[in-house]
Each structure stands twice: as structure tokens, then as C-alpha cells.
Amino acid sequence: QQPVQSPQAVILREGEDAVINCSSSKALYSVHWYRQKHGEAPVFLMILLKGGEQKGHEKISASFNEKKQQSSLYLTASQLSYSGTYFCGTGGATNKLIFGTGTLLAVQP
Amino acid sequence: NAGVTQTPKFRVLKTGQSMTLLCAQDMNHEYMYWYRQDPGMGLRLIHYSVGEGTTAKGEVPDGYNVSRLKKQNFLLGLESAAPSQTSVYFCASNSIRLLSSYEQYFGPGTRLTVT
């Protein structure tokens, strides 16, 4: 079963913040976040492993609540370059990922 | 390093024709994957491989076959193409040597249209 992402789409102005959520009905060992620009391949952003550690990468960070089987991606002070579709991928005991249906993020000037 | 490469980049097939998509990686990765991406569906795993000579089914394996005869190559075959297989196909790979190395590296994709 695919994890559920919300919202499906979000439009921001430059400098605004956004949160993208990923929720699974299964127990999780890891959550991956990827960003895909139109016509390109997905690009890795970060992995969160079981343990609830929050990770960060410049102005993009994420949290993982394994009890709730949820992860959230936080984008602060968004830039035009943040536009794209964001996917979470949830991992179980194997390294097989199940990806969500994506969240389309559009950052406008 | 070229990373993950896919051939061909584009292909148009008629219903019933067969074809093979090739994925190659030069990072000595153990795991390789084939995904398909359709509008509104995200990335769905077709088949994957945990090492040379081994393959396993993913979420949507019907109508596809795969082979991993060499560690660096992962082939995806369509024996009798159907319009429902029109999609963008991505190959990915990753290493399991380090726990922190679970990120998947994606190829550029193959856009396949079946008429």
C-alpha cells in the first residue's frame, strides 16, 4: 500500500514555508524524501531511519515519528529552485521502497 | 562516473511487440530497481534485484520480466507490449554496504509509448 502524502499540491511565494506530510499504514524502518523536477529523474534529499531523528539539509528538514508511522518534510524560506514534485518513500525490513503519489510544490516569485 | 544510465531514452511500440530496456550502473551497487511512473500514481516498483543472478517482484510485476546476469546491468523486458504499459520507466540502484548509503540513484528515464 502506497503511503499517503498531503497536500497533493501547494503554491507558495518565495520566502514562505511549507510542510509536506507522509503517512503509512505499515510499520516503518525508514523514510526517504526525493524531489523531481519536470522531465527529470528523482533526486535524493534525505533519509530518516528508525529512531525519530530529525534531519536537515540547508533550509529543508524532516522528521520521522515511527510510532505514528508518519514523516514530515519542512521547507523554510522557499526558493524558486524548490519547485518540483516531492515524493516520500517508505522502507520496511528490506531496502524495497514504496513511494507515495507525490506533492506538487510550485514556488512563485 | 556516469552513474545510472538507461537505454533507450524514448521508444514507440505497437501493441504486441516486445522490447528490452537496459539499465547500467558503474557504482558497484548491489541493489537495482525498475519503477514505472504514471501521472498521479507516483513511482511504482516493478521488479528489483539484490545481487547478480537474483530478482524479485515488486508492486506491479505483471507483463514484465527482468534479468541481472551482470552486477552492473539490469534488464527489463516487455514480451508483448500493451497500451497500459505506456509510461516513463526509471531504473535506480543503491549500495547496502553502509546503513547511511540507502539513497537510491536514479537513471534519466525511458519514455515508452505503446500504440
Side-chain angles (χ1 to χ4, degrees):
Chain A
Q1 284 167 312
Q2 282 183 293
V4 176
Q5 287 185 234
S6 62
Q8 288 185 319
V10 58
I11 300 173
L12 298 174
R13 295 276 183 204
E14 266 187 300
E16 292 182 336
D17 302 340
V19 180
I20 300 172
N21 300 301
C22 175
S23 179
S24 174
S25 59
K26 295 187 172 183
L28 302 176
Y29 284 78
S30 66
V31 178
H32 296 218
W33 285 97
Y34 290 78
R35 177 171 62 208
Q36 184 180 31
K37 302 247 182 210
H38 183 68
E40 299 180 7
V43 173
F44 171 79
L45 291 175
M46 65 186 74
I47 293 173
L48 297 103
L49 301 176
K50 200 173 176 181
E53 183 182 350
Q54 185 156 347
K55 295 219 168 187
H57 176 68
E58 295 184 347
K59 293 177 182 175
I60 300 176
S61 61
S63 62
F64 177 24
N65 186 325
E66 62 204 66
K67 285 185 180 177
K68 291 186 177 180
Q69 295 162 190
Q70 293 176 345
S71 177
S72 294
L73 186 72
Y74 307 94
L75 300 100
T76 57
S78 58
Q79 306 167 13
L80 293 175
S81 62
Y82 286 5
S83 293
T85 301
Y86 288 78
F87 293 98
C88 68
T90 54
T94 69
N95 198 31
K96 187 173 63 172
L97 290 180
I98 305 297
F99 283 92
T101 53
T103 295
L104 178 63
L105 178 73
V107 181
Q108 298 178 339
Chain B
N1 285 353
V4 180
T5 58
Q6 293 182 231
T7 51
K9 288 187 170 51
F10 303 93
R11 186 73 187 267
V12 178
L13 287 180
K14 293 189 190 304
T15 297
Q17 287 184 322
S18 63
M19 78 164 293
T20 300
L21 282 67
L22 171 64
C23 175
Q25 51 94 5
D26 61 2
M27 297 173 282
N28 202 32
H29 283 169
E30 303 293 334
Y31 279 51
M32 295 187 75
Y33 310 82
W34 276 107
Y35 295 94
R36 60 176 288 173
Q37 186 173 36
D38 305 294
M41 300 294 292
L43 292 153
R44 291 184 293 169
L45 183 64
I46 304 171
H47 286 280
Y48 65 103
S49 168
V50 302
E52 185 178 322
T54 69
T55 62
K57 293 180 180 179
E59 301 170 75
V60 289
D62 294 342
Y64 305 94
N65 56 74
V66 288
S67 64
R68 183 110 180 258
L69 299 178
K70 293 183 180 181
K71 186 176 183 179
Q72 63 268 34
N73 294 338
F74 194 28
L75 277 63
L76 178 71
L78 288 73
E79 290 187 347
S80 179
S84 61
Q85 293 177 305
T86 293
S87 188
V88 180
Y89 292 86
F90 286 101
C91 175
S93 71
N94 70 349
S95 169
I96 59 168
R97 283 192 290 273
L98 296 173
L99 191 65
S100 60
S101 296
Y102 275 18
E103 69 172 280
Q104 294 192 9
Y105 295 81
F106 282 82
T110 295
R111 186 173 295 274
L112 175 66
T113 302
V114 183
T115 61

